[in-house]
């Protein structure tokens, strides 16, 4: 009698566990939650971050963080926690519409003091931990890539360790902290910060898959996951690294943002994405929102994103630039290697180039030249900026 009762309970428990899981093709996906390290003030992307928190800055015509949330949703994650210490209300209000649209729970875990890259996990411990023992993702919000999260789940299950990190190959490893690993197994041996002699060319890509037991290693204080937590896991031979296929870029500063846009658009070309613009006026890879208006005689590309509600008048030349929502570029203006913030205007025959960054609602006059000008929001520029400088 007791034996039969125990068997019945085990069958119920087994059924309950299966109901907690999602199927993705033939892969059984256990991941239910993720934490995105949003960070603080986004000073490297000013003046854009003077208007919105960094994760809400548009990249390829949608907020940076939405690229990550969509990728997480696609592999079965049902709850995303944003670890934030700057403007949490703005983040929450903005993401409510995406929470409904994507059918995914988005919550904010607010820090009262900066907690580094590991402390936020301790703060969100009760949210991330569950009784199933399923691992959870951690992502840095600045990272843009193909997000091979399904492959990372398979990798994590295959090695049976406590934590998996994604690494990417770089040409100049001496600028970074290098991950030294066994090539055959992926087991991480050690980390070397900015090595002076060659020890490897793989660096931390800012995407992790962690077992809940990792949370027990982290105290609620400012802590670095890269310098404190991961080395201790590696010392116990429980940390493994997966080499990231495809492109990768940390887009947390303007020059890398523009490079990241090129890599992202190139990845769309490789999969023959229908989102890329076509036409006699398009050169290379270009993304144009369907609500944007393009005038006659324009030449757009390569590596350009034109956002919603933009008006690009006749004879305009755009290359290697991001034109954000509601911008008007007037006749025969030229913009290259620059970012134009929301609802700004670039005048007739104006020229904006060399990593010029226009904040929200900036108005560049007719025939004005900007050579690397960084212009704070709500400014009118009537005179040329001949050398890179900040216009306050």
């Amino acid at each position: 009698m007791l034996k039969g009762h125990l068997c019945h309970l085990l069958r119920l428990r087994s059924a309950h566990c299966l109901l907690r899981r999602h199927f993705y093709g033939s892969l059984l996906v256990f991941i239910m939650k993720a934490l995105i390290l949003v960070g603080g003030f986004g000073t490297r992307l000013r003046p854009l971050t003077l208007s919105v928190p960094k994760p809400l800055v548009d990249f390829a015509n949608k907020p940076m963080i939405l690229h990550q949330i969509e990728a997480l949703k696609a592999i079965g994650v049902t709850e995303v926690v944003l670890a934030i210490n700057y403007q949490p209300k703005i983040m929450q209000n903005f993401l409510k519409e995406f929470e409904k649209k994507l059918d995914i729970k988005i919550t904010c875990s607010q820090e009262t003091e900066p907690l580094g890259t590991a402390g936020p996990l301790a703060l969100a411990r009760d949210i991330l931990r569950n009784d199933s023992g399923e691992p959870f993702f951690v992502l840095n919000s600045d990272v843009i890539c193909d997000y091979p999260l399904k492959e990372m789940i398979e990798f994590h299950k295959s090695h049976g360790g406590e934590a998996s990190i994604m690494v990417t190959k770089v040409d100049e490893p001496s600028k970074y902290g290098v991950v030294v690993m066994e090539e055959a197994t992926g087991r991480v041996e050690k980390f070397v910060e900015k090595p002076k002699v060659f020890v490897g060319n793989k660096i931390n890509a800012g995407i992790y898959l962690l077992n809940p037991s990792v949370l027990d290693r982290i105290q609620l204080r400012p802590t670095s996951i890269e310098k404190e937590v991961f080395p201790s896991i590696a010392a116990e031979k429980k940390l493994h690294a997966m080499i990231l296929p495809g492109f990768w870029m940390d887009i947390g500063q303007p020059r890398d943002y523009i490079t990241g846009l090129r890599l992202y658009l190139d990845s769309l070309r490789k999969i023959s994405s229908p989102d890329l613009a076509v036409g006699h006026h398009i050169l290379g890879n270009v993304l144009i929102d369907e609500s944007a208006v393009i005038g006659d005689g324009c030449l757009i590309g390569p590596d350009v994103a034109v956002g919603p509600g933009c008006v690009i008048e006749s004879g305009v030349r755009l290359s290697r630039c991001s034109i954000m929502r509601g911008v008007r570029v007037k006749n025969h203006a030229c913009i290259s290697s620059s970012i134009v913030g929301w609802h700004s205007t670039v005048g007739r025959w104006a020229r904006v180039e060399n990593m010029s960054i226009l904040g929200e609602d900036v108005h560049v006059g007719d025939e004005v030249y900007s050579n690397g000008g960084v212009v704070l929001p709500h400014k009118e520029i009537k005179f040329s900026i001949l050398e890179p400088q900040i216009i306050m």
Side-chain angles (χ1 to χ4, degrees), residues 280-286 294-306 311-323 328-338 340 346-353:
H280 65 276
H281 62 298
I282 300 298
L283 181 64
N285 300 326
V286 174
I294 309 297
D296 296 331
C298 293
L299 184 59
I300 301 176
D303 309 323
V304 172
V306 179
V311 177
I312 311 298
E313 295 184 2
S314 300
V316 166
R317 177 73 175 102
L318 304 176
S319 65
R320 298 178 299 280
C321 62
S322 178
I323 310 297
R328 178 179 286 269
V329 182
K330 295 187 177 181
N331 296 332
H332 305 291
C334 178
I335 303 172
S336 66
S337 301
S338 298
V340 181
V346 177
R348 296 175 182 86
W349 294 100
R351 189 176 185 92
V352 177
E353 63 182 22

Side-chain angles (χ1 to χ4, degrees), residues 219-351:
Q219 297 179 9
L220 185 54
R221 60 176 178 83
T223 317
S224 168
I225 198 167
E226 301 89 350
K227 295 180 180 180
E228 298 177 63
V229 179
F230 286 157
S232 68
I233 301 175
E236 297 175 18
K237 301 184 178 181
K238 296 179 179 179
L239 179 65
H240 289 71
M242 169 184 159
I243 299 174
L244 175 73
F247 79 101
W248 175 90
M249 183 56 64
D250 179 331
I251 56 173
Q253 56 188 0
R255 194 170 298 279
D256 293 337
Y257 176 106
I258 294 296
T259 300
L261 181 61
R262 173 179 61 81
L263 296 172
Y264 175 79
L265 294 176
D266 187 56
S267 73
L268 295 184
R269 175 66 63 190
K270 288 176 180 176
I271 62 170
S272 302
S273 171
D275 294 334
L276 290 175
V278 294
H280 65 276
H281 62 298
I282 300 298
L283 181 64
N285 300 326
V286 174
L287 200 61
I288 300 177
D289 188 86
E290 60 183 11
S291 64
V293 177
I294 309 297
D296 296 331
C298 293
L299 184 59
I300 301 176
D303 309 323
V304 172
V306 179
C310 289
V311 177
I312 311 298
E313 295 184 2
S314 300
V316 166
R317 177 73 175 102
L318 304 176
S319 65
R320 298 178 299 280
C321 62
S322 178
I323 310 297
M324 295 185 179
R325 183 180 62 252
V327 166
R328 178 179 286 269
V329 182
K330 295 187 177 181
N331 296 332
H332 305 291
C334 178
I335 303 172
S336 66
S337 301
S338 298
I339 303 173
V340 181
W342 312 270
H343 307 293
S344 292
T345 303
V346 177
R348 296 175 182 86
W349 294 100
R351 189 176 185 92

Side-chain angles (χ1 to χ4, degrees), residues 50-51 344 359-363 375-380:
L50 295 175
S51 297
S344 292
E360 181 183 16
D361 186 39
V362 167
H363 302 283
V375 185
L376 272 62
H378 314 298
K379 300 293 180 185
E380 186 174 1

